[in-house]
Amino acid sequence: METFTDDTVVALASFLSPHDMLCLALTCKKFGDKNYGDRKRSAAREESSTRNVRQRTEAISLMGVAARTVLHAKWTDEERNALPRRGDESWIGIYQEFLKLFRLPLQFDKLAGGGFRHIIISNSTHSVEEDKTRVCSKGYHIGAAICSNIMRAGKHTVSFQVNDDDPASNYGILCGIMRPTTNDITRFGHCFILSHDLSSFSLKDYGRLHGDKNVDCCLLNTRGVCGHIRKRWKEWEESELMAMDEEQREQAVRQNRCIPFDWEGKEETQETSFKIGMVLDLDEGTLDVYKNDRRLGTMMSGLIGEYCWVVTFESTSVEGLVSIGR
Protein backbone atom coordinates (compact mmCIF):
# COMPACT_ATOMS: atom_id res chain seq x y z
CA MET A 1 0.00 0.00 0.00
CA GLU A 2 2.85 2.40 0.81
CA THR A 3 4.46 1.77 -2.59
CA PHE A 4 1.19 2.60 -4.34
CA THR A 5 0.77 5.74 -2.28
CA ASP A 6 4.34 6.93 -3.00
CA ASP A 7 3.97 6.23 -6.71
CA THR A 8 0.75 8.23 -6.72
CA VAL A 9 2.48 11.15 -4.96
CA VAL A 10 5.26 11.10 -7.55
CA ALA A 11 2.72 11.08 -10.38
CA LEU A 12 0.83 14.02 -8.90
CA ALA A 13 4.03 15.94 -8.15
CA SER A 14 4.99 15.73 -11.82
CA PHE A 15 2.43 18.48 -12.45
CA LEU A 16 4.18 20.83 -10.02
CA SER A 17 6.85 23.41 -10.76
CA PRO A 18 10.35 22.88 -9.28
CA HIS A 19 9.59 25.73 -6.85
CA ASP A 20 6.46 23.96 -5.60
CA MET A 21 8.34 20.66 -5.32
CA LEU A 22 10.96 22.41 -3.19
CA CYS A 23 8.30 23.99 -0.99
CA LEU A 24 6.73 20.58 -0.36
CA ALA A 25 10.13 19.07 0.40
CA LEU A 26 10.86 21.82 2.94
CA THR A 27 7.49 21.83 4.66
CA CYS A 28 6.65 18.11 4.80
CA LYS A 29 9.07 15.57 6.27
CA LYS A 30 7.66 12.70 4.23
CA PHE A 31 8.29 14.58 0.97
CA GLY A 32 11.68 16.03 1.88
CA ASP A 33 13.35 13.20 3.84
CA LYS A 34 16.42 12.08 1.90
CA ASN A 35 16.36 8.74 3.72
CA TYR A 36 13.30 7.86 1.64
CA GLY A 37 15.47 5.96 -0.82
CA ASP A 38 17.14 3.98 1.98
CA ARG A 39 13.77 2.94 3.40
CA LYS A 40 12.55 1.82 -0.01
CA ARG A 41 15.66 -0.29 -0.54
CA SER A 42 15.30 -1.86 2.91
CA ALA A 43 11.71 -2.81 2.13
CA ALA A 44 12.77 -4.27 -1.19
CA ARG A 45 15.47 -6.40 0.49
CA GLU A 46 12.95 -7.74 2.99
CA GLU A 47 10.58 -8.73 0.19
CA SER A 48 13.29 -10.47 -1.82
CA SER A 49 14.94 -13.40 -0.07
CA THR A 50 17.00 -14.27 -3.12
CA ARG A 51 19.10 -11.09 -3.14
CA ASN A 52 21.81 -10.69 -0.54
CA VAL A 53 23.97 -8.03 -2.26
CA ARG A 54 23.45 -4.45 -1.16
CA GLN A 55 23.85 -1.81 -3.88
CA ARG A 56 25.14 1.66 -3.03
CA THR A 57 22.69 4.28 -4.27
CA GLU A 58 22.15 7.96 -3.54
CA ALA A 59 20.07 9.42 -0.74
CA ILE A 60 17.01 10.98 -2.34
CA SER A 61 13.70 12.41 -1.15
CA LEU A 62 10.26 11.66 -2.52
CA MET A 63 10.20 15.07 -4.26
CA GLY A 64 13.66 14.31 -5.64
CA VAL A 65 12.25 11.12 -7.13
CA ALA A 66 9.40 13.16 -8.64
CA ALA A 67 11.78 15.68 -10.21
CA ARG A 68 14.01 12.91 -11.58
CA THR A 69 11.00 11.08 -13.01
CA VAL A 70 9.75 14.20 -14.79
CA LEU A 71 13.20 14.91 -16.21
CA HIS A 72 13.64 11.42 -17.62
CA ALA A 73 10.26 11.75 -19.29
CA LYS A 74 10.83 15.22 -20.77
CA TRP A 75 14.42 15.71 -21.84
CA THR A 76 15.95 14.52 -25.10
CA ASP A 77 19.31 12.77 -25.33
CA GLU A 78 20.90 16.05 -26.49
CA GLU A 79 19.38 17.98 -23.59
CA ARG A 80 20.52 15.36 -21.08
CA ASN A 81 24.05 15.59 -22.48
CA ALA A 82 23.96 19.38 -22.09
CA LEU A 83 23.01 19.19 -18.40
CA PRO A 84 25.34 16.72 -16.67
CA ARG A 85 24.70 16.29 -12.96
CA ARG A 86 27.39 17.60 -10.60
CA GLY A 87 28.03 15.07 -7.83
CA ASP A 88 24.95 14.73 -5.63
CA GLU A 89 23.30 17.87 -7.04
CA SER A 90 19.59 18.13 -6.21
CA TRP A 91 17.29 16.67 -8.86
CA ILE A 92 14.85 19.49 -8.16
CA GLY A 93 17.63 21.98 -8.95
CA ILE A 94 18.50 20.16 -12.17
CA TYR A 95 14.83 20.17 -13.17
CA GLN A 96 14.74 23.94 -12.63
CA GLU A 97 17.92 24.40 -14.71
CA PHE A 98 16.45 22.20 -17.45
CA LEU A 99 13.34 24.36 -17.74
CA LYS A 100 15.38 27.58 -17.81
CA LEU A 101 17.81 26.26 -20.41
CA PHE A 102 15.40 24.53 -22.78
CA ARG A 103 11.74 25.29 -22.11
CA LEU A 104 11.21 28.75 -20.62
CA PRO A 105 11.92 31.98 -22.56
CA LEU A 106 15.47 33.25 -22.24
CA GLN A 107 15.71 36.53 -20.35
CA PHE A 108 18.17 39.07 -18.99
CA ASP A 109 17.68 38.35 -15.30
CA LYS A 110 20.83 40.10 -14.07
CA LEU A 111 21.54 43.77 -14.86
CA ALA A 112 24.94 44.93 -13.61
CA GLY A 113 26.58 48.34 -13.66
CA GLY A 114 23.53 50.53 -14.18
CA GLY A 115 23.90 50.65 -17.96
CA PHE A 116 20.64 48.88 -18.79
CA ARG A 117 16.99 48.80 -17.83
CA HIS A 118 14.27 46.34 -18.74
CA ILE A 119 11.53 47.46 -21.10
CA ILE A 120 8.35 48.38 -19.20
CA ILE A 121 5.09 47.05 -20.66
CA SER A 122 1.42 47.42 -19.73
CA ASN A 123 -0.73 44.34 -19.23
CA SER A 124 -4.46 43.66 -19.50
CA THR A 125 -5.10 44.85 -15.93
CA HIS A 126 -3.63 48.28 -16.74
CA SER A 127 -0.65 47.68 -14.47
CA VAL A 128 2.94 47.75 -15.66
CA GLU A 129 5.61 45.08 -15.48
CA GLU A 130 9.14 44.49 -16.72
CA ASP A 131 9.79 42.59 -19.94
CA LYS A 132 13.01 40.80 -18.99
CA THR A 133 13.55 39.55 -22.53
CA ARG A 134 14.38 43.11 -23.67
CA VAL A 135 16.77 45.76 -22.39
CA CYS A 136 17.70 49.26 -23.48
CA SER A 137 20.70 51.38 -22.57
CA LYS A 138 20.40 54.10 -19.96
CA GLY A 139 23.34 56.21 -21.10
CA TYR A 140 26.40 57.46 -19.18
CA HIS A 141 26.86 54.02 -17.64
CA ILE A 142 28.56 50.88 -18.88
CA GLY A 143 26.81 47.75 -17.74
CA ALA A 144 26.02 44.17 -18.62
CA ALA A 145 22.69 42.45 -19.25
CA ILE A 146 23.20 38.82 -18.30
CA CYS A 147 21.14 35.71 -18.94
CA SER A 148 22.04 33.72 -15.83
CA ASN A 149 21.30 30.27 -17.33
CA ILE A 150 24.52 28.30 -16.84
CA MET A 151 25.60 26.35 -19.93
CA ARG A 152 27.80 23.54 -18.66
CA ALA A 153 28.00 21.09 -21.60
CA GLY A 154 26.44 20.28 -24.97
CA LYS A 155 25.04 22.68 -27.56
CA HIS A 156 23.12 25.91 -26.87
CA THR A 157 21.61 28.54 -29.16
CA VAL A 158 20.56 32.16 -28.74
CA SER A 159 19.39 35.07 -30.86
CA PHE A 160 19.97 38.75 -30.09
CA GLN A 161 17.62 41.10 -31.92
CA VAL A 162 19.26 44.51 -32.08
CA ASN A 163 16.99 47.58 -32.04
CA ASP A 164 13.74 45.94 -33.26
CA ASP A 165 13.46 48.42 -36.18
CA ASP A 166 14.29 51.33 -33.87
CA PRO A 167 16.39 53.87 -35.84
CA ALA A 168 18.86 54.21 -32.95
CA SER A 169 22.52 53.57 -33.63
CA ASN A 170 23.80 50.03 -33.19
CA TYR A 171 27.43 51.02 -32.84
CA GLY A 172 29.17 49.65 -29.81
CA ILE A 173 26.74 46.85 -28.94
CA LEU A 174 28.60 43.70 -27.92
CA CYS A 175 27.09 40.25 -27.36
CA GLY A 176 28.48 36.84 -26.51
CA ILE A 177 29.45 34.70 -23.53
CA MET A 178 30.91 35.24 -20.08
CA ARG A 179 31.62 33.14 -17.01
CA PRO A 180 28.69 32.64 -14.60
CA THR A 181 28.55 35.12 -11.72
CA THR A 182 26.86 35.46 -8.35
CA ASN A 183 23.80 37.64 -7.79
CA ASP A 184 26.05 40.19 -6.05
CA ILE A 185 27.15 41.46 -9.46
CA THR A 186 23.81 43.28 -9.80
CA ARG A 187 25.00 45.69 -7.10
CA PHE A 188 28.23 46.47 -8.97
CA GLY A 189 28.20 50.19 -9.77
CA HIS A 190 30.15 50.12 -13.02
CA CYS A 191 30.51 46.91 -15.01
CA PHE A 192 32.47 46.43 -18.21
CA ILE A 193 33.31 42.76 -18.48
CA LEU A 194 36.17 43.33 -20.92
CA SER A 195 38.23 45.47 -18.54
CA HIS A 196 37.00 45.21 -14.93
CA ASP A 197 38.19 42.64 -12.41
CA LEU A 198 35.01 40.60 -11.85
CA SER A 199 36.73 37.66 -10.14
CA SER A 200 35.05 38.44 -6.79
CA PHE A 201 31.67 37.84 -8.46
CA SER A 202 32.70 34.68 -10.32
CA LEU A 203 31.28 31.34 -9.20
CA LYS A 204 34.70 29.71 -9.59
CA ASP A 205 38.31 30.63 -10.29
CA TYR A 206 38.14 29.41 -13.87
CA GLY A 207 41.65 30.69 -14.57
CA ARG A 208 43.13 28.21 -12.12
CA LEU A 209 40.78 25.47 -13.31
CA HIS A 210 41.58 25.76 -17.01
CA GLY A 211 44.98 27.45 -17.14
CA ASP A 212 46.11 28.72 -20.54
CA LYS A 213 42.90 27.47 -22.16
CA ASN A 214 40.75 29.73 -19.99
CA VAL A 215 38.53 32.42 -21.59
CA ASP A 216 36.44 34.43 -19.11
CA CYS A 217 34.53 36.31 -21.80
CA CYS A 218 34.27 36.38 -25.58
CA LEU A 219 32.16 39.05 -27.29
CA LEU A 220 31.17 39.96 -30.82
CA ASN A 221 31.11 43.61 -31.82
CA THR A 222 27.78 43.72 -33.68
CA ARG A 223 29.26 46.10 -36.23
CA GLY A 224 31.06 42.97 -37.39
CA VAL A 225 34.49 44.55 -37.36
CA CYS A 226 36.08 42.20 -34.80
CA GLY A 227 35.69 40.00 -31.76
CA HIS A 228 36.89 40.75 -28.24
CA ILE A 229 38.33 38.27 -25.81
CA ARG A 230 39.49 38.42 -22.22
CA LYS A 231 41.13 35.31 -20.89
CA ARG A 232 41.25 36.13 -17.19
CA TRP A 233 39.19 38.47 -15.00
CA LYS A 234 41.30 38.03 -11.90
CA GLU A 235 44.28 40.33 -11.69
CA TRP A 236 47.62 38.69 -10.97
CA GLU A 237 49.16 39.28 -7.55
CA GLU A 238 52.49 41.11 -7.57
CA SER A 239 54.14 38.12 -5.90
CA GLU A 240 52.80 35.83 -8.65
CA LEU A 241 54.21 38.08 -11.37
CA MET A 242 57.59 38.35 -9.65
CA ALA A 243 57.88 34.54 -9.60
CA MET A 244 57.58 34.42 -13.40
CA ASP A 245 60.26 34.93 -16.00
CA GLU A 246 59.91 37.83 -18.42
CA GLU A 247 58.08 35.88 -21.11
CA GLN A 248 55.63 34.35 -18.63
CA ARG A 249 55.03 37.73 -17.03
CA GLU A 250 54.24 39.34 -20.37
CA GLN A 251 51.81 36.55 -21.22
CA ALA A 252 50.16 36.78 -17.78
CA VAL A 253 49.60 40.53 -18.04
CA ARG A 254 48.16 40.03 -21.52
CA GLN A 255 45.58 37.60 -20.09
CA ASN A 256 44.02 40.45 -18.08
CA ARG A 257 43.62 42.69 -21.11
CA CYS A 258 40.79 42.99 -23.60
CA ILE A 259 42.20 41.67 -26.87
CA PRO A 260 40.42 42.46 -30.17
CA PHE A 261 40.85 39.77 -32.79
CA ASP A 262 39.90 39.06 -36.39
CA TRP A 263 38.01 35.93 -37.31
CA GLU A 264 37.16 34.31 -40.60
CA GLY A 265 33.60 35.14 -41.55
CA LYS A 266 33.39 38.55 -39.90
CA GLU A 267 31.14 40.94 -41.79
CA GLU A 268 30.67 44.65 -41.20
CA THR A 269 27.14 45.75 -40.37
CA GLN A 270 25.62 48.94 -41.71
CA GLU A 271 22.01 48.25 -40.68
CA THR A 272 20.56 49.61 -37.45
CA SER A 273 18.18 46.66 -37.00
CA PHE A 274 19.30 43.02 -37.37
CA LYS A 275 19.52 39.68 -35.61
CA ILE A 276 22.68 38.02 -34.34
CA GLY A 277 22.46 34.30 -33.66
CA MET A 278 25.03 32.25 -31.77
CA VAL A 279 25.59 28.55 -31.21
CA LEU A 280 27.81 27.56 -28.31
CA ASP A 281 28.97 23.95 -28.58
CA LEU A 282 30.78 23.05 -25.38
CA ASP A 283 31.49 19.52 -26.57
CA GLU A 284 33.47 20.92 -29.50
CA GLY A 285 34.51 24.13 -27.69
CA THR A 286 33.25 26.43 -30.46
CA LEU A 287 31.16 29.61 -30.74
CA ASP A 288 29.49 30.03 -34.15
CA VAL A 289 27.89 33.29 -35.31
CA TYR A 290 24.86 33.91 -37.54
CA LYS A 291 23.50 37.16 -38.92
CA ASN A 292 19.83 37.29 -39.89
CA ASP A 293 19.83 33.45 -39.87
CA ARG A 294 22.83 33.25 -42.22
CA ARG A 295 25.90 31.52 -40.83
CA LEU A 296 29.02 33.71 -40.85
CA GLY A 297 31.47 31.25 -39.29
CA THR A 298 33.18 30.12 -36.12
CA MET A 299 34.27 33.12 -34.09
CA MET A 300 36.10 31.20 -31.34
CA SER A 301 37.31 27.66 -30.71
CA GLY A 302 39.02 25.92 -27.80
CA LEU A 303 36.40 27.05 -25.27
CA ILE A 304 36.12 25.04 -22.06
CA GLY A 305 34.03 25.28 -18.89
CA GLU A 306 30.75 27.04 -18.08
CA TYR A 307 29.25 30.16 -19.66
CA CYS A 308 26.24 32.50 -19.73
CA TRP A 309 24.91 34.75 -22.50
CA VAL A 310 25.58 38.48 -22.10
CA VAL A 311 25.13 41.85 -23.81
CA THR A 312 27.12 45.01 -23.09
CA PHE A 313 28.16 48.30 -24.74
CA GLU A 314 31.65 49.55 -25.49
CA SER A 315 30.98 53.20 -24.62
CA THR A 316 28.61 55.32 -22.51
CA SER A 317 27.30 57.21 -25.54
CA VAL A 318 25.71 54.16 -27.20
CA GLU A 319 21.94 53.91 -27.36
CA GLY A 320 20.07 50.81 -28.38
CA LEU A 321 17.58 48.10 -27.58
CA VAL A 322 18.40 44.38 -27.50
CA SER A 323 16.08 41.42 -27.04
CA ILE A 324 17.08 37.82 -26.31
CA GLY A 325 15.38 34.70 -27.58
CA ARG A 326 15.98 31.17 -28.78
Side-chain angles (χ1 to χ4, degrees):
M1 184 64 180
E2 181 183 354
T3 301
F4 174 79
T5 302
D6 288 349
D7 289 345
T8 301
V9 169
V10 169
L12 292 173
S14 67
F15 294 96
L16 301 177
S17 69
H19 177 266
D20 291 335
M21 287 182 181
L22 181 60
C23 287
L24 277 176
L26 293 175
T27 56
C28 180
K29 183 177 180 180
K30 176 179 174 61
F31 295 154
D33 184 4
K34 288 190 176 181
N35 292 321
Y36 163 79
D38 291 333
R39 294 197 306 273
K40 296 289 287 181
R41 287 189 294 277
S42 296
R45 284 195 296 271
E46 291 175 3
E47 291 176 5
S48 176
S49 60
T50 59
R51 291 188 179 183
N52 296 318
V53 179
R54 293 189 178 186
Q55 295 181 345
R56 181 185 179 278
T57 54
E58 65 176 311
I60 187 170
S61 68
L62 192 55
M63 285 301 100
V65 173
R68 184 178 63 184
T69 301
V70 174
L71 269 172
H72 288 330
K74 286 188 175 184
W75 61 11
T76 65
D77 291 342
E78 188 174 74
E79 290 168 344
R80 183 172 62 251
N81 174 63
L83 197 55
R85 190 178 180 216
R86 305 186 186 100
D88 60 352
E89 184 178 7
S90 162
W91 283 102
I92 298 176
I94 296 179
Y95 182 28
Q96 176 66 35
E97 285 298 306
F98 163 76
L99 294 177
K100 290 174 63 179
L101 278 171
F102 302 114
R103 295 294 186 270
L104 300 175
L106 298 180
Q107 61 181 25
F108 296 113
D109 38 16
K110 289 182 183 178
L111 303 183
F116 288 100
R117 63 173 177 84
H118 291 118
I119 299 299
I120 304 299
I121 57 175
S122 300
N123 58 32
S124 56
T125 61
H126 303 291
S127 60
V128 295
E129 59 185 24
E130 293 181 337
D131 179 359
K132 292 189 176 183
T133 67
R134 296 190 295 164
V135 292
C136 63
S137 61
K138 293 173 65 175
Y140 303 105
H141 294 277
I142 295 180
I146 304 165
C147 176
S148 64
N149 297 355
I150 299 177
M151 300 173 286
R152 56 179 85 172
K155 186 178 291 186
H156 304 266
T157 61
V158 71
S159 66
F160 297 106
Q161 180 65 46
V162 178
N163 287 329
D164 287 335
D165 296 321
D166 190 299
S169 168
N170 69 292
Y171 295 115
I173 298 175
L174 308 173
C175 60
I177 55 174
M178 64 180 281
R179 293 299 190 190
T181 57
T182 66
N183 285 328
D184 291 345
I185 198 172
T186 60
R187 297 196 292 269
F188 195 36
H190 198 59
C191 180
F192 189 47
I193 62 177
L194 286 171
S195 61
H196 291 154
D197 183 349
L198 303 181
S199 58
S200 61
F201 304 104
S202 182
L203 291 182
K204 302 175 184 176
D205 187 349
Y206 293 95
R208 293 193 181 276
L209 281 174
H210 305 306
D212 292 340
K213 293 183 178 181
N214 186 61
V215 173
D216 276 347
C217 62
C218 178
L219 302 178
L220 169 74
N221 187 318
T222 60
R223 287 182 294 167
V225 292
C226 66
H228 297 270
I229 188 175
R230 189 174 179 199
K231 296 183 69 66
R232 180 184 165 104
W233 278 335
K234 189 173 183 178
E235 298 288 344
W236 292 96
E237 299 288 342
E238 189 65 28
S239 58
E240 293 177 308
L241 293 174
M242 292 299 294
M244 302 176 186
D245 60 34
E246 185 175 352
E247 183 177 348
Q248 291 174 328
R249 192 178 303 117
E250 182 178 342
Q251 182 180 2
V253 171
R254 183 175 171 82
Q255 288 179 331
N256 289 138
R257 294 174 181 165
C258 166
I259 305 171
F261 65 93
D262 289 332
W263 57 283
E264 187 176 353
K266 71 174 186 177
E267 180 179 285
E268 288 200 41
T269 300
Q270 301 300 324
E271 309 100 295
T272 59
S273 178
F274 54 90
K275 181 171 71 173
I276 294 294
M278 291 186 167
V279 177
L280 175 64
D281 189 334
L282 288 171
D283 293 336
E284 298 295 329
T286 56
L287 182 63
D288 290 357
V289 177
Y290 295 74
K291 178 182 172 185
N292 296 330
D293 299 320
R294 177 171 53 88
R295 186 178 185 275
L296 299 183
T298 299
M299 185 174 78
M300 178 59 60
S301 58
L303 297 168
I304 186 173
E306 302 169 335
Y307 288 100
C308 293
W309 301 116
V310 64
V311 166
T312 187
F313 291 136
E314 64 178 346
S315 75
T316 58
S317 60
V318 173
E319 295 181 359
L321 182 149
V322 183
S323 62
I324 187 172
R326 299 192 186 279

